[in-house]
Amino acid sequence: MEKTLVLIKPDAVRAGKIGEIISMFEAKKFKIDAMLMFRFTNEIVERFYAVHREKDFFPDLLKFMTSGNTIAMIVSGQNTVSRVRNLIGPTDPAECEPDTVRGRFATSVRRNAVHASDSHEHYLIEKEVIFG
Ligand code: CMP
């Protein structure tokens, strides 16, 4: 069993898509091991997205992620990191297959509905930032 961390971001929470997104994970037989609704502060965004802190889009990302509630979930299953990344699709919805989470619910590269850890190492860091 491998675990990963998934966020349902403020755009998707605001649009009332929590249930449909969770259903997409359950349809693929992933298990939800933990779940939390919270609102990001600037400080938690800076810790969670530390690798993006110097990027030009970081101020936009900060504003977006603090704009409303987020759902964080720990998801488990077989090869979960890579299978969840496939299920959510690429960062930019223009590149997403229509049956991916972002293909269905993302509206831009920033407002892209969900996040998932890109490695086991990042999962451990992200889990500690949100659930630690
Ligand atoms: P995520 O997979 O959570 O990882 C970093 C986030 O930064 C990404 O999803 C987007 O929400 C956001 N992001 C990435 N690239 C850009 C960009 N070019 N402009 C604005 N936001 C971006």
Side-chain angles (χ1 to χ4, degrees):
M1 281 293 187
E2 187 182 54
K3 296 186 187 219
T4 196
L5 185 133
V6 172
L7 299 180
I8 303 177
K9 297 185 182 184
D11 57 333
V13 172
R14 224 172 352 250
K17 301 302 179 188
I18 297 169
E20 285 176 77
I21 291 173
I22 291 173
S23 294
M24 290 179 78
F25 284 87
E26 291 185 329
K28 296 282 182 193
K29 306 294 179 206
F30 292 115
K31 296 282 178 234
I32 314 290
D33 291 346
M35 188 180 294
L36 178 71
M37 179 180 264
F38 66 104
R39 189 165 180 154
F40 269 101
T41 60
N42 287 1
E43 186 206 336
I44 303 292
V45 175
E46 282 167 9
R47 287 176 57 204
F48 189 86
Y49 283 121
V51 294
H52 296 304
R53 235 165 133 166
E54 305 306 321
K55 306 261 174 74
D56 57 354
F57 62 77
F58 190 76
D60 269 357
L61 180 61
L62 190 71
K63 195 170 168 195
F64 167 52
M65 293 304 293
T66 57
S67 70
N69 286 334
T70 290
I71 298 276
M73 306 187 282
I74 294 178
V75 174
S76 68
Q78 301 288 328
N79 302 318
T80 307
V81 170
S82 64
R83 286 179 56 233
V84 164
R85 300 278 291 181
N86 288 339
L87 175 60
I88 70 172
T91 305
D92 184 349
E95 296 168 13
C96 287
E97 296 295 332
D99 61 345
T100 58
V101 179
R102 285 171 169 160
R104 288 181 64 188
F105 302 117
T107 53
S108 73
V109 70
R110 172 169 38 129
R111 296 177 182 274
N112 62 359
V114 286
H115 163 90
S117 314
D118 63 4
S119 63
H120 181 67
E121 183 197 4
H122 279 153
Y123 158 70
L124 294 175
I125 295 167
E126 292 174 0
K127 181 186 77 160
E128 183 58 29
V129 172
I130 305 295
F131 289 95

